[in-house]
Amino acid sequence: MTDPAAKPPRKQKANAYPWYSPRIWHGMRFRPWMRLLARHHFALHPLRIGMAVLVTPFTVFNSLAYRLQLALHGEKIAAATPHTPMVFIVGHWRSGTTFLHELMSLDEAYTSPSTIQCFGPCQFLLIGDFVSRWFNFIMPSTRPMDNMKVGWSKPQEDEFALLALGAPSPYYRMAFPDHPAEGTEFLDMEGIDEADLAKWRETLDQFVRMITVQRDKPIILKSPTHTGRIGLLSEMYPDAKFIHIARNPLEVFASTERLWQTMDEIQSFQHPKNPQYRQYIFDCFDRMYGGYFRDVDKLGPDRLVETRYEDIVADPVGELEKIYAALGLGDFEQVRPQMEAATAESRSFQRNKHQMEDDLAAEIYRRWSQYFERYGYAADGTLVEEKPKAE
């Protein structure tokens, strides 16, 4: 039987993304940008050379702005002490991490990295407020892979900031998707060179301190890439809290396939000929959840809570109240009205629909059986009567 992971994905049209809208590479510094191109021997598709040419002057500006930012704010950044508790929202791509992040960002007792902070970490302390106020017109109205609203002030994934600052990241794969994927070891933090690991830790901590300088509150961070890093993150931030969100694995797989296809259309400097999305999804899952299941039982119930997307959609306020109580995140009653208003509005949100071949669904169940069983999903992705308790 043909391996369903090797079958080419169905071509799906991404939502419109204007050519002038920011790409993740626009936030990089010049030296990491040049290193990225050199690692891939400048294998730019002729139709993407223009995009690379446009990115380059931004990286020069970012390098200069970064030096100025450190000159003006370096002492404050070094002296900043992140507030506790820091909160990390983790889970596979397309499992609802963004939805949960946006709900929790309504709590004014906390702050979350914004799009301008994550896409412009080299200069947001200098010009972030100016860009957020006057340059919203260059942002698309919704994300390219789904229908969620975007904007400079909206909560954003901190992995983009780490990449822009030069830390090793699996997201570098998007630049040259026809080449062997790089950075997957940073999904479980296994087999990493000590210098690269030190660079990664230093970059994350610096970004956290930069946010603290600008917004003196506990921080809620969200990134699927942190899922297999919970052990390391709990060591770096001993008081940190973690929220893991699961979702119907068949929906997660199909939606992630669309995600990578869409991101490659927008972010890539190639026109992928053989990206092997399905095998890449399986490989990333093995890394992410190998790391997650390795360390999850080391964190007590007062530090880590597991929830499901379906439970949050069914009763968002009730599920968030349980999360707040379990992790001791503060008085939920103070934020209940904002949560109720936001979730009432979100009920009209239109989610993408996906179809899947039977042989691929069977292969996902075979490879991801631990995930299905731990979070209470049947082989067809439907919920069992009650979510099993974690062992």
Side-chain angles (χ1 to χ4, degrees):
M1 179 173 129
T2 304
D3 183 354
K7 293 181 181 179
R10 297 180 300 276
K11 188 72 173 176
Q12 301 188 59
K13 184 176 177 58
N15 294 347
Y17 196 85
W19 67 268
Y20 52 79
S21 293
R23 269 66 177 176
I24 59 177
W25 321 112
H26 284 101
M28 294 182 70
R29 286 183 287 157
F30 180 72
R31 185 172 296 179
W33 165 241
M34 286 291 106
R35 286 175 177 168
L36 172 63
L37 294 180
R39 283 199 304 274
H40 294 275
H41 307 290
F42 294 84
L44 305 167
H45 189 279
L47 295 179
R48 296 300 176 98
I49 291 176
M51 188 168 83
V53 170
L54 287 174
V55 166
T56 301
F58 278 93
T59 66
V60 174
F61 170 78
N62 294 336
S63 293
L64 297 173
Y66 181 68
R67 292 190 178 188
L68 179 60
Q69 183 167 263
L70 289 183
L72 296 176
H73 301 286
E75 291 185 4
K76 291 181 182 178
I77 294 170
T81 301
H83 291 269
T84 59
M86 286 179 60
V87 179
F88 289 88
I89 298 173
V90 300
H92 199 280
W93 294 282
R94 314 302 299 143
S95 61
T97 55
T98 298
F99 179 51
L100 180 56
H101 194 202
E102 294 205 348
L103 288 179
M104 294 191 66
S105 70
L106 297 173
D107 190 342
E108 294 184 358
Y110 293 85
T111 188
S112 297
S114 64
T115 298
I116 187 60
Q117 289 174 323
C118 293
F119 277 40
C122 296
Q123 69 268 8
F124 74 80
L125 290 174
L126 302 175
I127 60 172
D129 290 340
F130 175 80
V131 173
S132 297
R133 182 173 182 179
W134 297 106
F135 285 86
N136 262 313
F137 68 90
I138 69 173
M139 295 290 286
S141 58
T142 60
R143 299 199 308 180
M145 75 290 291
D146 54 29
N147 301 305
M148 296 196 74
K149 296 179 181 179
V150 297
W152 288 119
S153 60
K154 299 282 281 185
Q156 187 55 264
E157 180 178 341
D158 57 285
E159 187 74 19
F160 295 127
L162 303 187
L163 178 149
L165 290 169
S169 171
Y171 285 179
Y172 283 115
R173 183 211 69 87
M174 286 184 279
F176 296 93
D178 268 341
H179 293 182
E182 62 176 296
T184 54
E185 66 272 24
F186 285 88
L187 292 173
D188 63 356
M189 311 310 282
E190 289 283 350
I192 298 172
D193 178 81
E194 285 297 324
D196 285 341
L197 180 58
K199 171 66 174 176
W200 188 91
R201 294 172 64 117
E202 176 187 340
T203 305
L204 174 62
D205 198 56
Q206 181 192 45
F207 183 62
V208 167
R209 292 173 185 274
M210 289 163 65
I211 296 173
T212 302
V213 167
Q214 189 169 61
R215 300 177 181 175
D216 196 24
K217 298 179 180 180
I219 302 170
I220 301 174
L221 295 164
K222 183 278 297 193
S223 179
T225 54
H226 287 327
T227 304
R229 302 168 178 165
I230 60 171
L232 175 61
L233 293 171
S234 65
E235 292 176 8
M236 292 177 63
Y237 305 105
D239 297 318
K241 311 286 186 173
F242 297 86
I243 306 168
H244 177 276
I245 182 169
R247 189 179 185 179
N248 173 351
L250 304 185
E251 282 290 322
V252 164
F253 191 100
S255 190
T256 302
E257 185 177 19
R258 173 182 168 84
L259 166 69
W260 293 134
Q261 176 187 310
T262 303
M263 294 299 282
D264 286 353
E265 290 175 4
I266 294 168
Q267 305 291 351
S268 174
F269 297 102
Q270 299 176 318
H271 282 296
K273 297 177 181 177
N274 186 30
Q276 299 185 10
Y277 292 119
R278 292 179 176 177
Q279 187 56 54
Y280 181 67
I281 295 169
F282 282 128
D283 291 344
C284 287
F285 183 93
D286 290 344
R287 284 276 193 175
M288 293 170 70
Y289 280 92
Y292 181 78
F293 292 142
R294 175 193 65 210
D295 294 323
V296 64
D297 293 332
K298 299 175 184 177
L299 300 174
D302 62 330
R303 294 198 63 192
L304 183 144
V305 165
E306 296 182 318
T307 185
R308 295 185 299 202
Y309 176 77
E310 293 83 1
D311 296 328
I312 293 178
V313 170
D315 183 14
V317 176
E319 197 68 13
L320 282 163
E321 185 174 15
K322 293 176 186 177
I323 291 171
Y324 266 65
L327 297 180
L329 298 182
D331 184 3
F332 185 76
E333 294 305 315
Q334 295 295 318
V335 74
R336 183 187 292 274
Q338 295 94 311
M339 297 286 187
E340 290 177 341
T343 53
E345 181 182 342
S346 70
R347 293 185 188 280
S348 62
F349 176 73
Q350 297 298 312
R351 296 172 177 84
N352 291 322
K353 304 294 184 181
H354 303 97
Q355 296 180 339
M356 180 173 290
E357 306 95 323
D358 290 343
D359 57 346
L360 177 57
E363 185 69 3
I364 294 169
Y365 181 71
R366 183 183 72 81
R367 297 194 189 194
W368 294 6
S369 59
Q370 186 176 4
Y371 186 102
F372 278 81
E373 294 167 7
R374 183 181 181 98
Y375 301 115
Y377 295 99
D380 63 357
T382 58
L383 295 174
V384 297
E385 283 190 24
E386 184 178 351
K387 182 173 64 174
K389 295 181 179 180
E391 297 179 358

